Amino acid sequence: MIVRARKLMLTGALGAVTAAAALLFFADSQDQGRDFGLTALAAADGNPPSGVEDYNYPGAETIFKQKGIKLLRGDGRVLLADCGTSPNEIKVWSRAGDICFQASTTTGYITMELTEVWGLETTSHSIDADLTAGGETQTVNVPKDAFKSVGEGIPGGTPSTLVEIRVTG
């Protein structure tokens, strides 16, 4: 009976010490931007910080240098693609040339800065596109399998910059 009581006391003491250590660890992490000290530990060890998705477009700098396309962010469901290679194509018509994206699902988004856009075309997905011109933002809906003129593509229209594409269906 005494052995059993000692085991219970030892287990309780061990649990209390563990709880106190966890409490101190989490209380200390509040001073470090709520990253629980992982970034500081990784930097001290020479390891990269933990992988947290920031939704920045991968390889955006290289794409901008090679093709002049400024891609900013996205959820990975709308990706830059070669025109004519995907049945889920979204085509952007601009003075700089045709730029195509591939939509992998019925929802998704990508943000960018594509200047002098005059037309949008879809195949298997409908989209909403945000364009800016003269400080004003306009949202254009393009149904699936359709083409829509925008910016200078509309009589009397002004040069427009495409800033976001959202796949809506």
Side-chain angles (χ1 to χ4, degrees):
M1 188 77 154
I2 295 175
V3 172
R4 191 172 193 197
R6 285 184 185 166
K7 284 183 180 179
L8 283 173
M9 283 180 51
L10 184 59
T11 303
L14 186 60
V17 168
T18 303
L23 207 91
L24 288 172
F25 175 77
F26 287 112
D28 181 48
S29 70
Q30 289 179 350
D31 295 333
Q32 297 176 10
R34 292 197 180 270
D35 71 352
F36 303 112
L38 298 176
T39 304
L41 287 174
D45 292 339
N47 295 324
S50 63
V52 176
E53 180 60 64
D54 60 4
Y55 295 98
N56 288 334
Y57 198 91
E61 289 181 26
T62 303
I63 292 168
F64 183 69
K65 288 177 186 174
Q66 292 176 350
K67 299 183 178 189
I69 303 168
K70 190 172 184 180
L71 302 174
L72 303 173
R73 302 179 66 123
D75 62 2
R77 297 176 184 162
V78 181
L79 300 173
L80 183 66
D82 292 330
C83 292
T85 61
S86 172
N88 302 320
E89 187 171 88
I90 300 165
K91 192 172 195 177
V92 178
W93 302 73
S94 77
R95 282 191 192 183
D98 303 341
I99 299 161
C100 293
F101 297 92
Q102 175 184 349
S104 61
T105 65
T106 57
T107 61
Y109 79 96
I110 186 167
T111 62
M112 67 205 77
E113 289 179 20
L114 295 177
T115 59
E116 300 176 329
V117 172
W118 57 268
L120 300 167
E121 182 178 10
T122 64
T123 54
S124 60
H125 296 294
S126 58
I127 64 167
D128 285 341
D130 290 344
L131 297 108
T132 61
E136 301 280 326
T137 300
Q138 173 189 14
T139 300
V140 175
N141 178 271
V142 185
K144 92 178 192 179
D145 296 320
F147 173 87
K148 189 160 279 195
S149 295
V150 296
E152 292 177 291
I154 300 171
T158 59
S160 297
T161 299
L162 178 62
V163 293
E164 183 170 13
I165 294 173
R166 291 178 305 284
V167 178
T168 58

